[in-house]
Amino acid sequence: MAADSRAARPLQKMFSEVPATYDLINRLFTLRLDQAWRKIAAKECMRENPRLVLDLCTGTGDLALSMAGQARPGMHIAAVDFSLPMLLEGRLKFVAPGQRVGFVLGDVGKLPFREGSFDAIGIAFAFRNLVYKNRERDKYLSEILRVLSPGGKLVIVETSRPRSPLVRLLFHWYMRTAVSFLAGLISGRGAAYKYLAHSAINFYSSGDLSDLLESAGFRRVQYRTFLFGVCALHLAYREGPGNMENS
Ligand SMILES: C[S@@+](CC[C@H](N)C(=O)[O-])C[C@H]1O[C@@H](n2cnc3c(N)ncnc32)[C@H](O)[C@@H]1O
């Protein structure tokens, strides 16, 4: 695991305080749908037989674990995050032989990988942290594009803004009560879950996120939604005649 000497930033500090209860809260408040959605995202990452895949902002490693479960021989998986406590929690899950994932401590703003390294990049429930009211948003997007191989694929699974006003009302109520209040109580980190609920409530619709990806230089952006639009899976490609171009 490479060292990161930069001073801790607010989000980095916040995520470093929640790993002990992070998985429990995810499973509890989504009734395990989070895992089903990660599995779909992992499948999308693996679809075109990538050689090297990245789980960006891996946290406690659940997407990487799902990728490893679906990987074919010869595929390699890297998982990056800027929170060491999250990475250490994630590493505990990789005990079975053959479940090889390279964990890397690093910041999306300065990814420690060469240009065009990855045929596919997956990001689960963390894209919001990178682009919601984040002044480093443009830098993050161009770094993701840089480390993606020409023709390579970005797969984002993230909460979304439901189109129906009724579903939106229910979703926001659920985020404010269950997630913000109860998850804060269980974890003892009220501020962290208040931020997570607030950012989910105010995050982009699927269409707006597609526009953001297009304007950042991604191509062939497409999406599908789950559970009446509270979650969305976006696919976006780096331009180029790479191995994924004709999928
Ligand atoms: C909500 S968690 C999601 C974790 C995991 N992907 C999952 O599916 O549960 C967000 C993660 O993104 C990481 N993160 C946020 N901003 C980051 C950045 N700029 N560089 C690296 N990791 C970052 C946090 O440390 C945290 O582990």
Side-chain angles (χ1 to χ4, degrees):
M1 215 180 269
D4 184 353
S5 59
R6 266 163 297 178
R9 307 210 306 267
L11 269 184
Q12 188 179 21
K13 188 168 176 294
M14 189 192 88
F15 281 111
S16 297
E17 290 171 348
V18 296
T21 51
Y22 180 80
D23 288 352
L24 171 73
I25 287 171
N26 275 349
R27 304 301 175 269
L28 212 58
F29 290 107
T30 68
L31 301 174
R32 296 193 71 86
L33 279 172
D34 64 318
Q35 288 290 65
W37 292 330
R38 281 190 196 89
K39 195 170 173 185
I40 296 170
K43 195 170 171 189
E44 274 302 338
C45 288
M46 297 301 179
R47 190 178 290 283
E48 294 102 349
N49 272 320
R51 188 184 45 84
L52 196 54
V53 188
L54 176 66
D55 176 9
L56 192 70
C57 300
T58 188
T60 57
D62 281 338
L63 181 63
L65 193 64
S66 189
M67 287 170 171
Q70 300 182 41
R72 286 179 279 273
M75 289 181 181
H76 297 277
I77 300 161
V80 71
D81 201 285
F82 68 4
S83 163
L84 185 60
M86 289 293 253
L87 284 181
L88 293 175
E89 190 75 21
R91 276 235 296 219
L92 297 175
K93 294 175 184 170
F94 292 81
V95 287
Q99 282 186 327
R100 267 171 302 155
V101 171
F103 282 91
V104 180
L105 186 63
D107 190 323
V108 181
K110 197 169 189 292
L111 287 168
F113 307 112
R114 275 203 295 263
E115 201 266 335
S117 295
F118 297 96
D119 302 316
I121 298 177
I123 178 164
F125 306 110
F127 201 70
R128 205 170 75 227
N129 307 133
L130 301 181
V131 301
Y132 173 70
K133 287 194 178 166
N134 196 322
R135 57 201 159 97
E136 298 189 84
R137 183 185 82 176
D138 294 347
K139 185 167 71 172
Y140 290 152
L141 290 169
S142 66
E143 265 299 89
I144 297 171
L145 205 53
R146 181 185 70 79
V147 299
L148 202 54
S149 65
K153 181 188 202 178
L154 172 67
V155 178
I156 302 166
V157 62
E158 186 54 82
T159 59
S160 190
R161 188 177 176 80
R163 196 172 290 178
S164 150
L166 178 63
V167 177
R168 211 158 55 224
L169 199 75
L170 291 171
F171 175 54
H172 291 180
W173 172 81
Y174 185 70
M175 291 307 286
R176 281 197 189 96
T177 52
V179 179
S180 182
F181 181 66
L182 292 176
L185 213 62
I186 294 170
S187 65
R189 303 289 171 193
Y193 282 95
K194 207 167 166 191
Y195 159 79
L196 288 176
H198 178 80
S199 59
I201 287 168
N202 293 288
F203 195 53
Y204 301 111
S205 67
S206 307
D208 288 344
L209 185 54
S210 299
D211 291 345
L212 175 71
L213 291 165
E214 294 268 4
S215 61
F218 290 90
R219 295 292 169 257
R220 297 164 60 206
V221 180
Q222 46 195 287
Y223 68 84
R224 58 190 274 213
T225 59
F226 307 111
L227 197 65
F228 309 107
V230 305
C231 180
L233 182 89
H234 281 76
L235 309 181
Y237 293 80
R238 178 173 166 183
E239 201 159 48
N243 50 339
M244 314 254 162
E245 190 61 16
N246 299 317
S247 59

